[in-house]
Amino acid sequence: MSILVLGGAGYIGSHAVHQLIDAGEQVVIVDNLETGHKEALHPKATFYQGDIRKIDFLRSVFQKESIESVIHFAANSLVGESVEKPLKYFDNNVYGTQVLLQVMAEQNVKQIVFSSTAAVYGEPKVVPIQESEQTKPLNPYGETKLTMEKMCHWASQAHGIKYVSLRYFNVAGARESGEIGEDHRPETHLIPIILEAALEKRSHVTIFGDDYHTPDGTCIRDYVHVVDLIDAHLLALQYLRDGGDSDVFNIGSNQGFSVKEMIHAAREVTGKEIIAKNGERRIGDPSTLVASSTKAKEVLGWNPTKTNARKILEDAWRWHVAHPYGYDKEGIKE
Ligand code: UDP
């Protein structure tokens, strides 16, 4: 039996595939390669190129392969873009998941682990955020992820599909071996942008707002190492295999760093100057997101060992130095 990884050519999905194969699992990947990279595909995984919204395509994969469970990463995930193009997000994230659940119900596949986000909380009332915090997304990205969670809830009631939703905080870093890493086009995430500035591929980093109600005025986020994040997926899969009930877990570090603090830490790790300039706030950004991941530790047995700002920056920096053009061998990455 195989694990079906949807979005297995993307940044987080490719890390999942590598760790699943390291753990001795058989893996089938589906990816439309819209944002994923074929260079990130694992040679031992079976790959189908296609879109999860195409029901005949998706059904054919389930019919050809013997799928035990699904890990679902195939979604758009940029807060800023989601504000500009909300319908794109509802189409890919919500409708894509609807088609997936329909095929899973038809094909009798009963286990799914999928990526949700801290963006479901909006501006939290209490920090660190627990799973019981109210969910009031401030942007379409968070809204689509919350809708995916609700759809999974009702599909689990009706069709017996068990799910684990992992609400990611800010994922960064890379596998230590350095063969895969973060390569978004265009890049919008803070850590790769800081490191591209360190590599002088950008003149500077723009700080999106320095007038938030935080100690230094810049937004506070909780950064989690991608390898620890994927460990949580493997544990969630085992939890479902052991008969665990559908549930939702925060995956973060329980520690907040401001944008300015991350830039400062990156200067120390890289030894580079990294010019930062203050800019406007980005629409849809909450000021502070810090997780309580106690539930994931207690219920799933999650034990993050790489999640600290320095280690995340060191591993991301190693990938960026070795792959200054991302997965391109040469040329200029946007
Ligand atoms: N950010 C920034 N400059 C950038 C990119 C991001 O100041 O060029 C800030 C952003 O406003 C947020 C934090 O860095 O407070 C993390 O943003 P990112 O896009 O990496 O992740 P998000 O929190 O949106 O998932």
Side-chain angles (χ1 to χ4, degrees):
M1 300 283 280
S2 299
I3 312 296
L4 175 61
V5 180
L6 305 173
Y11 163 51
I12 298 176
S14 62
H15 279 81
V17 171
H18 277 73
Q19 284 171 242
L20 283 163
I21 288 174
D22 290 348
E25 301 282 359
Q26 285 188 304
V27 178
V28 175
I29 299 174
V30 163
D31 199 299
N32 63 7
L33 297 184
E34 198 183 287
T35 54
H37 302 277
K38 58 181 183 323
E39 298 83 356
L41 292 167
H42 195 294
K44 287 193 180 150
T46 306
F47 172 55
Y48 294 89
Q49 184 174 351
D51 197 299
I52 61 166
R53 288 165 291 189
K54 301 269 185 277
I55 194 160
D56 292 336
F57 160 72
L58 195 61
R59 195 181 274 132
S60 74
V61 174
F62 277 80
Q63 285 165 346
K64 278 184 225 149
E65 302 289 339
S66 170
I67 306 295
E68 179 204 355
S69 39
V70 177
I71 309 186
H72 178 27
F73 301 99
N76 294 114
S77 60
L78 304 179
V79 168
E81 185 191 47
S82 80
V83 175
E84 281 161 27
K85 299 179 184 167
L87 303 181
K88 171 178 173 176
Y89 277 68
F90 278 88
D91 183 40
N92 195 22
N93 298 2
V94 176
Y95 179 62
T97 304
Q98 181 185 328
V99 172
L100 168 64
L101 291 170
Q102 189 177 330
V103 174
M104 286 178 66
E106 267 172 35
Q107 304 292 322
N108 219 20
V109 174
K110 301 286 191 193
Q111 294 167 5
I112 178 169
V113 177
F114 70 96
S115 21
S116 184
T117 171
V120 300
Y121 295 112
E123 193 70 66
K125 287 203 173 122
V126 182
V127 177
I129 305 168
Q130 295 188 334
E131 291 80 355
S132 53
E133 174 71 32
Q134 63 168 5
T135 46
K136 272 188 143 180
L138 293 182
N139 53 63
Y141 169 56
E143 193 72 53
T144 59
K145 288 285 172 172
L146 188 58
T147 309
M148 286 165 63
E149 289 188 358
K150 290 180 178 171
M151 202 157 42
C152 282
H153 167 74
W154 293 110
S156 82
Q157 304 280 306
H159 305 296
I161 293 171
K162 298 279 186 193
Y163 69 91
V164 168
S165 169
L166 299 177
R167 292 178 175 166
Y168 306 170
F169 283 64
N170 286 61
V171 186
R175 234 167 122 77
E176 272 166 25
S177 49
E179 74 271 46
I180 52 174
E182 195 164 4
D183 179 1
H184 296 113
R185 307 189 187 191
E187 190 54 77
T188 67
H189 291 110
L190 181 66
I191 289 183
I193 283 179
I194 293 174
L195 298 180
E196 287 180 8
L199 282 171
E200 292 180 18
K201 289 173 57 204
R202 297 176 183 262
S203 56
H204 65 278
V205 181
T206 303
I207 296 173
F208 293 153
D210 64 346
D211 57 350
Y212 285 95
H213 287 293
T214 59
D216 67 15
T218 67
C219 284
I220 292 179
R221 292 288 180 275
D222 174 330
Y223 294 88
V224 55
H225 197 294
V226 65
V227 171
D228 284 334
L229 173 88
I230 299 306
D231 281 344
H233 291 71
L234 270 61
L235 290 163
L237 205 58
Q238 193 54 48
Y239 163 87
L240 291 177
R241 281 172 169 161
D242 293 343
D245 266 337
S246 297
D247 213 339
V248 173
F249 299 92
N250 286 340
I251 303 296
S253 71
N254 296 46
Q255 260 194 304
F257 291 93
S258 73
V259 173
K260 282 188 179 166
E261 284 172 334
M262 290 310 284
I263 295 169
H264 178 73
R267 287 185 183 126
E268 284 186 359
V269 166
T270 63
K272 306 284 182 184
E273 186 187 4
I274 312 180
I275 297 165
K277 296 185 180 174
N278 292 335
E280 295 294 307
R281 288 185 177 195
R282 186 172 66 178
I283 298 168
D285 267 347
S287 68
T288 302
L289 291 172
V290 179
S292 161
S293 297
T294 307
K295 185 175 165 188
K297 289 178 183 162
E298 286 178 3
V299 178
L300 301 177
W302 187 49
N303 177 27
T305 56
K306 300 177 196 306
T307 289
N308 64 70
R310 199 179 173 91
K311 172 74 176 150
I312 289 170
L313 284 164
E314 279 169 1
D315 288 350
W317 180 233
R318 190 177 313 110
W319 155 260
H320 278 273
V321 169
H323 302 85
Y325 302 106
Y327 285 104
D328 284 350
K329 299 246 173 336
E330 55 188 281
I332 296 173
K333 197 186 137 190
E334 269 179 67

